[in-house]
Amino acid sequence: MIDSAPDLRIALYQPDIPGNTGTILRMAACFGIAVDVIEPAGFDLSDRSLKRAGMDYLEKAALTRHADWQQFQEWRLSENRRLLLFSTKASEPYTAFTFRKGDILLLGRESAGVPDDVHRAADARLIIPMAPGARSLNLALSAAIAVGEAFRQLSLSS
């Protein structure tokens, strides 16, 4: 049981697939962490698929929608939060990184990742190592792996 969730957030940059977003919202609700969606999304956030994947957990999810990258960046900087980008273009393994309370775990679009300016804006760029020849993991699975490691580290440091 989680007595108090670490002050983590998941940010989704212009997500494409409602099922992934719904699954991430469900996971976040179960762990007591917030989700930021940086729009435009590739689907209507009231989409039936989003509701199917998130089930009744969507009502419990702490979701903040940002109209665009600029609005999200302004908010993030005003909150003084680190932005950690999970990317197949990164070189630092997520397991070698030290997570801190207040971190935002950013995941890009399923179809295209994030643009170069978003990549450069991240405080750290992390990779989930995979077998040679593997291109990428499912976005919701990547979010779960990232949250799991951040939780593990932060629970050891409390």
Side-chain angles (χ1 to χ4, degrees):
M1 173 178 244
I2 297 173
D3 292 328
S4 63
D7 185 21
L8 288 175
R9 297 180 80 91
I10 299 170
L12 304 175
Y13 181 86
Q14 300 179 354
D16 290 329
I17 301 173
N20 283 336
T21 301
T23 300
I24 291 167
L25 286 166
R26 180 179 180 174
M27 176 191 64
C30 288
F31 286 124
I33 59 178
V35 176
D36 295 279
V37 172
I38 303 161
E39 298 193 45
F43 56 90
D44 179 353
L45 282 172
S46 64
D47 187 285
R48 218 173 23 164
S49 301
L50 178 68
K51 290 179 181 170
R52 184 174 25 246
M55 298 173 64
D56 57 335
Y57 291 89
L58 291 183
E59 296 160 6
K60 298 174 182 152
L63 171 65
T64 302
R65 295 169 63 177
H66 303 271
D68 56 29
W69 168 250
Q70 186 62 38
Q71 185 186 71
F72 170 78
Q73 256 306 65
E74 288 170 7
W75 168 81
R76 175 186 79 86
L77 294 171
S78 74
E79 293 284 316
N80 196 30
R81 289 179 177 263
R82 283 194 315 179
L83 185 64
L84 313 178
L85 173 63
F86 283 77
S87 171
T88 57
K89 297 177 184 172
S91 58
E92 183 175 3
Y94 76 105
T95 52
F97 185 79
T98 302
F99 292 88
R100 293 194 311 231
K101 187 176 179 180
D103 284 343
I104 299 172
L105 314 177
L106 174 64
L107 296 113
R109 294 183 79 164
E110 291 93 340
S111 62
V114 299
D116 290 342
D117 63 321
V118 173
H119 219 278
R120 286 189 299 272
D123 297 298
R125 286 155 292 288
L126 307 172
I127 190 166
I128 299 169
M130 297 177 287
R135 288 189 330 258
S136 66
L137 291 166
N138 171 276
L139 189 73
L141 181 56
S142 296
I145 290 169
V147 166
E149 177 61 13
F151 264 59
R152 184 191 71 78
Q153 287 186 22
L154 293 170
S155 70
L156 291 175
S157 66
S158 353

